[in-house]
Amino acid sequence: MPNPRLTGLGSGLFCAVVMFLLGWLSAVLFGASPTAYGVLFLPVCVLTAVWVRRVDLMTAPVVVPIAFAVGLLPVADGDDGLAGRLMGLVTTLATQAGWLYGGTLIAGLIVIVRRIRMVRQRRAARARAR
């Protein structure tokens, strides 16, 4: 299993690009199914939270909702024109908010656990140094 360490910007780019590709794939394979897209969103949230560097931990819960919206562009139904497309995007975001909140919660919990472990390791190292 690869173990990359992404910067804050790198994790945002990774998550946005992967979600856009998964949105496109969902549109092609599943007929733009928002549910399939939401299910595919959850593992991307986990990978983003696990692969972000320690110093950039707090960026993971911020970038995953943005990437969710970026990936919805190929999935969201909308009429012709910018206004119709925007309305389709907003409607899809509203109806699929459960997946968005769930993925953000997963990323947040992973980040919190990683942060707690990091703080404990530092304290243990300081205690051993004394």
Side-chain angles (χ1 to χ4, degrees):
M1 188 73 182
N3 192 19
R5 289 293 165 215
L6 302 171
T7 63
L9 178 61
S11 65
L13 288 173
F14 163 76
C15 198
V17 168
V18 169
M19 288 314 302
F20 186 81
L21 292 174
L22 288 176
W24 176 80
L25 189 66
S26 173
V28 170
L29 295 179
F30 306 116
S33 169
T35 303
Y37 174 77
V39 170
L40 294 171
F41 174 63
L42 299 179
V44 174
C45 292
V46 170
L47 290 176
T48 302
V50 169
W51 286 349
V52 71
R53 292 185 317 173
R54 287 180 170 188
V55 295
D56 296 324
L57 277 177
M58 291 304 162
T59 60
V62 174
V63 299
V64 292
I66 296 168
F68 186 83
V70 168
L72 275 180
L73 292 173
V75 175
D77 292 331
D79 297 333
D80 292 334
L82 181 63
R85 193 63 140 156
L86 186 60
M87 185 57 101
L89 179 65
V90 170
T91 302
T92 307
L93 274 171
T95 59
Q96 301 304 312
W99 294 111
L100 176 63
Y101 294 149
T104 305
L105 179 66
I106 289 170
L109 290 174
I110 291 172
V111 163
I112 288 170
V113 168
R114 286 185 62 197
R115 178 73 181 166
I116 289 170
R117 287 182 60 208
M118 186 174 67
V119 168
R120 285 185 180 169
Q121 288 172 352
R122 282 186 191 164
R123 285 184 184 164
R126 266 193 247 135
R128 278 180 286 187
R130 290 182 191 178

